[in-house]
Amino acid sequence: MKNILVVAYQLHYSAGSEYAVAMDYINHMSKNNKLAVLYGTCNQFHKIGNTREMEEWVENNPIKNVKFVPV
């Protein structure tokens, strides 16, 4: 099992497009690796740094082998 750092500008658990690419990668890679995920925003209608929605979701829906770090 490798340790992998993932940097995702946009990240969200249910939004499409760019957000979905990051979550699909995280879900796939976390099956065999430990991930640290740095992300900057979680909603297309909010400015960079607004990560509250994603933080709340991660608290209630943790993904095994993944540590989410808002920046």
Side-chain angles (χ1 to χ4, degrees), residues 7-8 20 23 29 32 44 48 52-53:
V7 179
M23 282 304 290
M29 293 299 291
N32 298 311
Q44 62 185 350
I48 188 78
R52 184 180 69 247
E53 185 179 349

Side-chain angles (χ1 to χ4, degrees), residues 8-12 15-24 44:
Y9 163 63
Q10 299 174 328
L11 183 66
H12 197 271
S17 194
E18 290 88 358
Y19 299 91
V21 171
M23 282 304 290
D24 289 346
Q44 62 185 350

Side-chain angles (χ1 to χ4, degrees), residues 5-12 18-26 36-42 48-49 51 54 68-71:
L5 175 64
V6 178
V7 179
Y9 163 63
Q10 299 174 328
L11 183 66
H12 197 271
E18 290 88 358
Y19 299 91
V21 171
M23 282 304 290
D24 289 346
Y25 179 84
I26 290 165
V37 180
L38 306 179
Y39 66 99
T41 187
C42 68
I48 188 78
T51 59
M54 191 65 192
F68 290 94
V69 182
V71 289

